[in-house]
Amino acid sequence: MHIRSITFFFLLIFSLSGNAHSPSKDKSYIVTKTNDTIYGKIKVNILIGGLKLITADTSYVINPNIYLAYYNAKKKAVYRSKVLPGFIPEKLAKKLSLAEKADWLKCIEDGEIKLYEYKHSNLGNNADNVLDVACTISSVIATSGAIPNIEFTNWYVEKEGTQLTPIIYSSFTVAGSKPRKERKELLRSLLADNGKVSQNYSQTKPFTFKTVQTLIQEYNISKT
């Protein structure tokens, strides 16, 4: 009995020692451009807006132009730094030396095909499409100067070797948007190398966010 107690004690110490060096899934973190992970607690940055990561000895502004990704433990969500498609073509933007500005996109589905969610408001700094501007102007006129906060949600898909592309959006148009028919064909091409999922897509009629998410889930699971 005494020997069992000693054995249990050493096993417990070994287990605690191993856990001390393993990343905690309950902590928020940011990922640097050198793929280093910094753990801490995420708080709202009251001074300049946005979020910051607080560690034991310092704090980091969670800026999509500085970091690759961050994980919000409270929301249990991963956000990645992505440059959204713009109204100006990529080649022309480079020719004009226009600086690319990244945004945080929430990763809804992760795998070979990634599905991202992007929320933006007409009161924020994200009024980067025609609809946002039009809605803001019309809202000001309708409310005699008061600007109501209208939030839009767009979803983007990305597969290795392809560009980030809007697939479903709640606004009428977004930068880089394509007609519904082209977006349906885009999804079909992303699923094309999986016969079963492609067949499920062919049998699906409504082209909704839930449909897109389910098909991407099925595809990614089949690849694991």
Side-chain angles (χ1 to χ4, degrees), residues 99-139:
E100 291 185 330
K101 182 181 177 183
D103 287 285
W104 289 121
L105 272 64
K106 181 180 179 180
C107 186
I108 302 297
E109 296 297 333
D110 206 1
E112 190 165 330
I113 300 178
K114 294 175 174 59
L115 179 63
Y116 292 105
E117 178 184 87
Y118 178 62
K119 291 183 179 293
H120 55 120
S121 166
N122 64 322
L123 287 186
N125 297 321
N126 298 319
D128 56 359
N129 63 61
V130 174
L131 178 66
D132 289 351
V133 176
C135 283
T136 301
I137 295 173
S138 61
S139 297

Side-chain angles (χ1 to χ4, degrees), residues 61-209:
V61 176
I62 303 179
N63 186 329
N65 295 295
I66 299 176
Y67 302 106
L68 293 178
Y70 77 92
Y71 173 71
N72 190 320
K74 187 176 181 180
K75 295 184 177 181
K76 296 182 179 179
V78 173
Y79 297 79
R80 294 200 178 101
S81 172
K82 296 291 178 181
V83 176
L84 296 175
F87 283 110
I88 300 176
E90 186 177 354
K91 290 184 179 180
L92 179 59
K94 288 182 178 180
K95 188 175 181 180
L96 297 175
S97 299
L98 298 178
E100 291 185 330
K101 182 181 177 183
D103 287 285
W104 289 121
L105 272 64
K106 181 180 179 180
C107 186
I108 302 297
E109 296 297 333
D110 206 1
E112 190 165 330
I113 300 178
K114 294 175 174 59
L115 179 63
Y116 292 105
E117 178 184 87
Y118 178 62
K119 291 183 179 293
H120 55 120
S121 166
N122 64 322
L123 287 186
N125 297 321
N126 298 319
D128 56 359
N129 63 61
V130 174
L131 178 66
D132 289 351
V133 176
C135 283
T136 301
I137 295 173
S138 61
S139 297
V140 172
I141 296 173
T143 57
S144 301
I147 307 176
N149 186 13
I150 302 175
E151 186 177 70
F152 301 95
T153 304
N154 302 326
W155 291 275
Y156 295 79
V157 289
E158 183 183 51
K159 189 177 181 181
E160 187 175 353
T162 66
Q163 293 183 335
L164 185 74
T165 308
I167 191 72
I168 297 285
Y169 31 88
S170 58
S171 50
F172 294 115
T173 182
V174 298
S177 63
K178 301 178 183 297
R180 182 185 181 90
K181 184 177 180 180
E182 287 189 32
R183 286 182 280 125
K184 292 179 72 173
E185 287 304 315
L186 167 65
L187 182 60
R188 190 183 303 279
S189 66
L190 294 176
L191 304 172
D193 59 339
N194 186 304
K196 184 177 179 181
V197 180
S198 293
Q199 185 177 6
N200 290 343
Y201 179 47
S202 298
Q203 296 171 350
T204 303
K205 291 184 179 180
F207 186 70
T208 63
F209 165 73

